[in-house]
Amino acid sequence: MNMKRLPLPTVLMGIVSPIPAIVFAIGGLFSSDAVPGMTMGLVEYAALVLAFSGAVHWGLALDRPMVIMGTRLDAGPDNRRLLMGALPLPVGWLACHATFLGHVPFGLAVLLAGFFGLFLAERAAWRRGELPSGYLALRLWLTAVFMACLGLAMLVSLS
């Protein structure tokens, strides 16, 4: 598959996009509510980023006419990509809902698993040549920062 390099604005937005998560995670250190507003903000933002990260794969799959027309004989790669595109949304919703109901550690754990699982799936797609140059490095950065923020929030919620 012939893939282009990531445009510079995409890379820059990817680099700065974790800033709200960092602010929420650090702010959570100083919050004392039962479901801290900062932690809820972190969960909501992380869930949105997770869903958006999955949507990238949905878009890449739908960019291929054979997926839309249903004429491809070997649909395995496209089905994997569609699954990677769709699954992060309900995972993010589950995390938000659990946190809203007061199950903060569970919500954070769901997001941690979601980010880690999506990265593993993207790594496998990258190895198959299905992702643009530089995308995996950007996703590694995002995954590492978000998992660090979620891990900090988890430690705070368990203390």
Side-chain angles (χ1 to χ4, degrees):
M1 175 178 258
N2 185 15
M3 289 291 204
K4 300 182 235 173
R5 295 192 66 140
L6 293 177
L8 182 60
T10 302
V11 173
L12 293 175
M13 289 173 57
I15 290 170
V16 301
S17 66
I19 291 174
I22 295 166
V23 170
F24 284 132
I26 293 171
L29 293 171
F30 306 105
S31 181
S32 61
D33 300 328
V35 178
M38 288 293 197
T39 301
M40 190 68 215
L42 172 62
V43 168
E44 292 165 340
Y45 186 68
L48 290 169
V49 170
L50 183 63
F52 180 81
S53 297
V56 167
H57 298 283
W58 187 266
L60 287 170
L62 293 181
D63 189 42
R64 300 170 50 136
M66 287 144 303
V67 173
I68 297 169
M69 303 296 287
T71 58
R72 184 174 168 148
L73 293 177
D74 177 23
D78 294 326
N79 289 339
R80 276 193 310 267
R81 186 167 269 163
L82 289 170
L83 184 63
M84 270 197 307
L87 195 55
L89 179 63
V91 169
W93 171 84
L94 177 62
C96 283
H97 194 63
T99 304
F100 175 75
L101 293 176
H103 305 290
V104 177
F106 179 76
L108 292 166
V110 166
L111 283 171
L112 282 164
F115 273 95
F116 187 67
L118 182 59
F119 181 77
L120 290 179
E122 288 173 328
R123 185 171 161 243
W126 178 77
R127 286 184 170 176
R128 291 188 301 270
E130 297 173 357
L131 295 175
S133 175
Y135 182 79
L136 192 66
L138 181 61
R139 285 294 297 132
L140 177 61
W141 157 254
L142 287 168
T143 301
V145 173
F146 272 90
M147 289 187 73
C149 291
L150 293 165
L152 176 61
M154 175 76 82
L155 290 173
V156 170
S157 74
L158 294 174
S159 61

